[in-house]
């Protein structure tokens, strides 16, 4: 099947492309800065803010499914709310409209724990009032509602997950959950890391292989089993100092210190401590495979390999 991806050069894209290629799909990967194409993956430049360009590329490529990954994350979005609005809101509108008018069968949307705001039950279910405090969260909440709308009224099979903070052997860009990944990267690279969050910070996190599998399983789920368009999916919810301890077991001698950054700590404190993913489990059989320590065992060698291959992985 032909699949087009927006924001394919980001943190989710690299692992998602690998998984889709392994399933035998042909991929059109788009991003602001396209990479060199390979036999399996055609890279093309695309700014999702440019509606005419989005329409043109979807008309030309005629993909059956679109994975819409392009987004500005929470911390960057607070520094530049206009850019976050343009990419996350206008960009999502442009992609939805192009998919609808050009006959794309399915649109997969990536939402986030950032749609929630302060004062949440623990764990947090799908259906509580959404009161996001960041532009990223506002635009993701609106994107979710647009997906529900297009699914119900415009004949486009939109589906998506609310991702926890995702951790993988590649660098995210400007998220508030990045402290978790940096503990691994800097732990391996330089033996120490000063986290921008308090040691008792606790938010939902997930290892990327589980995240990618969740997205693919939801995409493949029979439509008549789905009771909603957007689903919470949960991995694990350790405190920051529990992540540090897990890193320490795999990288002996690592030193993690804490210097909370008011902007990102404020965002983290407004998010769920843990997600309730009952609906995803019931409707399409979702279950995570990795615990924190299982992720650590898998991830640390991958980071070592990347760094030994000359990857910069700095932030
Ligand atoms: N990881 C994201 C962020 O921190 C949450 O979706 O912005």
């Amino acid at each position: 099947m032909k699949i087009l991806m927006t924001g394919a050069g980001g943190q989710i894209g690299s692992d998602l492309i690998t998984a889709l290629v392994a399933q035998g799909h042909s991929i059109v990967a788009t991003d602001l800065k396209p990479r060199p194409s390979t036999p399996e993956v055609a890279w093309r430049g695309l700014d999702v803010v440019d509606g005419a360009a989005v329409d043109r590329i979807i008309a030309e490529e005629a993909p059956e499914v679109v994975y819409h990954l392009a987004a500005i994350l929470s911390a960057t979005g607070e520094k530049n709310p206009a850019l976050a609005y343009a990419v996350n809101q206008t960009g999502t509108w442009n992609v939805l409209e192009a998919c609808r008018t050009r006959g794309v069968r399915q649109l997969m949307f990536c939402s986030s724990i950032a749609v929630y705001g302060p004062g949440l039950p623990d764990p947090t279910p799908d259906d509580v009032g959404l009161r996001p405090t960041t532009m990223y969260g506002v635009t993701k909440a609106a994107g979710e509602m647009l997906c529900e709308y297009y699914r119900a009224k415009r004949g486009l099979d939109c589906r998506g997950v609310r991702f926890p903070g995702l951790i993988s052997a590649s660098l995210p860009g400007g998220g508030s959950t990045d402290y978790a990944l940096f503990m691994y990267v800097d732990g391996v690279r330089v033996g120490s890391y000063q986290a921008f969050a308090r040691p008792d910070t606790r938010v939902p996190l997930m290892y990327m292989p589980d995240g990618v599998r969740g997205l693919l399983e939801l995409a493949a789920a029979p439509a008549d089993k789905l009771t909603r368009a957007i689903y919470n999916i949960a991995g694990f919810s350790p405190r920051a100092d529990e992540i540090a301890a897990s890193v320490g077991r795999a990288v002996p001698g690592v030193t993690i210190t804490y210097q909370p950054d008011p902007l990102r700590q404020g965002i983290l404190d407004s998010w769920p401590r843990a997600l309730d993913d009952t609906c995803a489990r019931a409707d399409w059989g979702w279950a995570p495979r990795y615990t924190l320590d299982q992720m650590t065992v898998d991830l640390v060698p991958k980071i070592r390999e990347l760094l030994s291959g000359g990857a910069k992985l700095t932030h």
Side-chain angles (χ1 to χ4, degrees):
M1 161 174 40
K2 192 174 198 182
I3 294 175
L4 185 140
M5 220 177 272
T6 70
Q11 194 199 0
I12 298 173
S14 53
D15 288 72
L16 184 58
I17 288 172
T18 305
L20 289 169
V21 166
Q23 290 184 346
H25 299 297
S26 111
I27 312 296
V28 180
T30 74
D31 207 292
L32 280 180
K33 288 189 199 126
R35 298 177 186 171
S37 293
T38 65
E40 296 86 15
V41 185
W43 280 87
R44 294 189 60 177
L46 179 67
D47 179 357
V48 293
V49 177
D50 182 344
V54 173
D55 181 64
R56 196 163 51 242
I57 208 163
I58 290 187
E60 282 170 14
E61 297 290 352
E64 188 174 332
V65 174
V66 170
Y67 282 79
H68 177 38
L69 311 179
I72 301 293
L73 294 186
S74 60
T76 307
E78 288 317 278
K79 290 183 189 136
N80 194 343
L83 178 67
Y85 188 88
V87 174
N88 302 354
Q89 188 73 68
T90 307
T92 295
W93 167 262
N94 289 341
V95 171
L96 282 163
E97 274 298 280
C99 288
R100 177 184 73 81
T101 56
R102 301 296 180 178
V104 170
R105 179 177 62 79
Q106 185 180 68
L107 174 75
M108 296 304 298
F109 181 69
C110 295
S111 191
S112 160
I113 50 172
V115 297
Y116 293 109
L120 296 160
D122 182 17
T124 307
D126 291 275
D127 291 318
V128 301
L130 301 182
R131 297 278 181 274
T133 59
T134 62
M135 183 57 86
Y136 175 64
V138 167
T139 54
K140 284 292 178 189
E144 288 189 359
M145 289 171 205
L146 285 168
C147 284
E148 296 272 5
Y149 178 85
Y150 274 71
R151 184 177 180 78
K153 299 257 180 82
R154 309 306 311 253
L156 178 61
D157 180 2
C158 296
R159 308 174 180 194
V161 292
R162 282 188 190 136
F163 276 128
L166 290 167
I167 300 176
S168 63
S170 69
L171 272 199
S176 302
T177 55
D178 297 358
Y179 67 91
L181 174 56
F182 294 155
M183 285 187 188
Y184 290 89
V185 171
D186 282 5
V188 171
R189 200 167 60 91
V190 290
S192 65
Y193 173 61
Q194 185 178 77
F196 56 74
R198 287 189 316 269
D200 67 347
T201 303
R202 190 172 151 247
V203 292
L205 298 172
M206 180 175 282
Y207 192 32
M208 188 66 86
D210 271 343
V212 163
R213 188 173 50 80
L215 209 49
L216 297 179
E217 286 177 2
L218 176 59
D224 62 358
K225 298 273 187 234
L226 303 187
T227 56
R228 52 196 306 123
I230 309 291
Y231 287 87
N232 279 357
I233 55 172
F236 37 79
S237 279
R239 289 165 44 117
D241 54 6
E242 291 170 339
I243 306 170
S246 186
V247 177
R249 287 191 282 277
V251 189
V254 70
T255 311
I256 307 286
T257 53
Y258 302 88
Q259 181 71 51
D261 161 53
L263 171 71
R264 285 178 288 186
Q265 185 69 59
I267 294 172
L268 290 163
D269 288 342
S270 76
W271 287 350
R273 294 164 69 76
L275 287 179
D276 176 342
D277 57 6
T278 306
C279 294
R281 287 172 183 268
D283 288 4
W284 45 279
W286 159 252
R289 290 186 186 153
Y290 285 89
T291 62
L292 172 65
D293 283 334
Q294 286 167 337
M295 173 182 76
T296 301
V297 167
D298 196 69
L299 178 61
V300 166
K302 286 189 177 149
I303 291 174
R304 285 215 170 94
E305 196 182 311
L306 270 182
L307 291 169
S308 69
K312 292 255 180 338
L313 291 185
T314 52
H315 52 93

